[in-house]
Amino acid sequence: MGLEVGIVGLPNVGKSTLFQALTKAHAEIANYPFCTIEPNIGIVPVKDDRMTRLVQLVEPDKVVPSTLRVVDIAGLVKGASKGEGLGNQFLSHIRQIDAIIHLVRCFEDENVSHVSGALSPLDDLEVIKTELILADLDQVERKLERTIKQAKGDKTAAESIPVLQKLLDTLAKGELAQAIQLNEQEKLLIRDLNLITMKPYLYVGNVSETMLTEDEGHFLKLKELAEKEGIQVVKICAKIEAELAEMDAEEATLFMQDLGIEESGLDQLARAGYHLLDQITYFTAGKQEVRAWNIMRGTQAPKAAGKIHSDFEKGFIRAVVYHYDDINQLGSEAAVKDAGRLRMEGKDYVVQDGDVIHFRFNV
């Protein structure tokens, strides 16, 4: 299964419209809460100019970009952690994802009701974060009670108690679990909790069409908060994205030029999600196929080979590697080879972003 990011937000912030654009799938769009109950899942290609260039040079029969799975999680409301709305169902969906996209409404529209009456992106975020913290707090409390009972004859359980206590204190103060500095051993002890507020997150401000080229009003406040927290923020207009999704590439380019924007919000969002999860891309390139593979930064060659097939990892012999920059500059793999830029790398090689790799293996 690929990487999954989940879009969370209050009802009527534009999630279903954005999701429709993300996947060209039509989630049921209606102006009332809870029209998205089952989490819709969409696969979004991550746009990469290097891939476009590789395809020009190699002219393969097939092209496979790297992708991000996006889960549309129905609108949370105040009290979700106590089961308000469809709270518990949503919260269990959020636990399964790798990172969270907080979609925040920054547009005024009298035809689209706001769940609390007045529009305030920072208050909306506070509601969502509070619910996520309360859901984690409830989970940590129950886990701590069970662990204290188990601890008499169980060394691992005994070691978990101070970590759980630290988490409990932090969450009770209204802080995210990720505010605590935990070492690798401590992280392992609480991994099974799958805490929501431990997950990386970013903000997406859904703005009106007129605010796309300027930062003002509600979006500006969101941007200031993101800077303070050291979090990425992406500005999109979900309505425009839904229109772009219906156009072909040429039409979309002209439409964006008219709007004064260089790339779609979705391309920015997919890239931001990729970056959030500390992913890099390596490529396999041949006449049959050019494909982008996403791996965690710092991955060694055998594990990277395992992304293609487990046999590649098990029987790994070596990796034949050159960098995208080499083929971009020299024009073909043969020219890269002639220039002596093709390298043989072994099991300890750490794959770099933009590597083009052929794996040699034996099963």
Side-chain angles (χ1 to χ4, degrees):
M1 196 173 79
L3 294 163
E4 277 192 351
V5 296
I7 303 180
V8 300
L10 292 173
N12 298 344
V13 295
K15 279 197 301 92
S16 295
T17 310
L18 175 63
F19 196 77
Q20 176 183 321
L22 275 165
T23 55
K24 298 187 185 176
H26 295 264
E28 184 192 336
I29 294 177
N31 180 21
Y32 58 90
F34 314 130
C35 62
T36 323
I37 296 167
E38 277 310 302
N40 291 314
I41 295 179
I43 310 286
V44 194
V46 180
K47 195 174 175 187
D48 191 327
D49 292 338
R50 298 173 299 185
M51 183 89 165
T52 313
R53 175 73 174 138
L54 275 175
V55 169
Q56 277 174 354
L57 295 171
V58 178
E59 298 181 344
D61 300 331
K62 189 177 166 196
V63 181
V64 186
S66 68
T67 56
L68 199 60
R69 285 165 64 94
V70 180
V71 184
D72 178 23
I73 292 161
L76 277 169
V77 291
K78 198 168 183 173
S81 56
K82 298 280 178 276
E84 283 296 317
L86 298 162
N88 297 332
Q89 205 176 333
F90 303 159
L91 292 161
S92 68
H93 292 322
I94 301 175
R95 292 206 186 280
Q96 308 315 315
I97 59 184
D98 299 302
I100 295 172
I101 293 170
H102 285 283
L103 183 64
V104 187
R105 177 173 164 179
C106 298
F107 65 89
E108 302 275 1
D109 186 343
E110 59 201 30
N111 299 317
V112 181
S113 63
H114 186 275
V115 75
S116 65
L119 178 61
S120 168
L122 301 194
D123 289 349
D124 290 0
L125 266 178
E126 200 51 44
V127 169
I128 297 284
K129 282 188 180 171
T130 301
E131 291 309 319
L132 301 184
I133 287 167
L134 289 170
D136 278 352
L137 184 63
D138 183 47
Q139 202 163 5
V140 171
E141 277 174 341
R142 285 189 304 199
K143 175 78 172 175
L144 185 58
E145 276 174 32
R146 289 197 305 272
T147 307
I148 288 169
K149 286 175 190 164
Q150 288 168 354
K152 289 178 181 120
D154 184 332
K155 191 175 170 238
T156 307
E159 284 172 358
S160 302
I161 291 172
V163 189
L164 290 166
Q165 192 61 57
K166 232 190 312 190
L167 276 173
L168 191 70
D169 296 344
T170 302
L171 292 162
K173 281 190 290 193
E175 291 178 25
L176 305 177
Q178 60 181 242
I180 311 173
Q181 296 299 311
L182 297 176
N183 62 36
E184 289 310 308
Q185 177 58 26
E186 288 173 325
K187 282 179 188 166
L188 272 175
L189 290 170
I190 58 151
R191 192 171 61 181
D192 63 325
L193 279 171
N194 221 344
L195 294 175
I196 303 169
T197 64
M198 206 57 121
K199 297 179 190 296
Y201 64 95
L202 61 85
Y203 296 143
V204 174
N206 186 11
V207 301
S208 62
E209 186 179 325
T210 52
M211 280 171 62
L212 266 178
T213 50
E214 280 179 49
D215 293 347
E216 56 184 56
H218 296 299
F219 182 75
L220 208 51
K221 288 179 184 164
L222 180 65
K223 195 177 174 184
E224 283 164 7
L225 176 72
E227 279 168 11
K228 202 166 89 182
E229 293 181 0
I231 295 296
Q232 293 181 85
V233 62
V234 176
K235 175 164 53 172
I236 60 156
C237 171
K239 206 162 151 238
I240 294 287
E241 297 301 324
E243 287 177 44
L244 282 168
E246 301 297 330
M247 298 177 187
D248 63 35
E250 205 173 314
E251 270 183 305
T253 304
L254 289 170
F255 186 41
M256 286 193 291
Q257 280 170 0
D258 287 346
L259 291 166
I261 54 174
E262 284 177 26
E263 63 174 339
S264 77
L266 295 191
D267 286 342
Q268 293 176 58
L269 184 56
R271 226 181 20 254
Y274 210 61
H275 177 67
L276 186 65
L277 292 163
D278 208 15
Q279 297 294 300
I280 63 165
T281 304
Y282 78 84
F283 302 96
T284 48
K287 191 72 195 83
Q288 274 186 312
E289 176 185 272
V290 166
R291 186 187 284 243
W293 302 89
N294 61 286
I295 51 171
M296 200 77 169
R297 191 179 301 283
T299 300
Q300 290 180 319
K303 195 123 193 81
K307 279 286 285 193
I308 301 173
H309 198 287
S310 56
D311 286 351
F312 282 33
E313 185 174 355
K314 277 187 220 136
F316 179 88
I317 300 170
R318 70 180 73 90
V320 182
V321 185
Y322 60 92
H323 197 268
Y324 163 78
D325 292 344
D326 298 328
I327 192 169
N328 181 39
Q329 192 186 348
L330 299 167
S332 71
E333 191 173 307
V336 171
K337 193 175 180 181
D338 290 345
R341 302 229 192 132
L342 216 55
R343 316 186 308 273
M344 297 294 170
E345 299 287 0
K347 289 183 175 179
D348 296 336
Y349 177 67
V350 175
V351 175
Q352 301 301 303
D353 187 42
D355 277 349
V356 183
I357 309 180
H358 297 286
F359 291 106
R360 300 215 171 137
F361 67 100
N362 184 8
V363 174

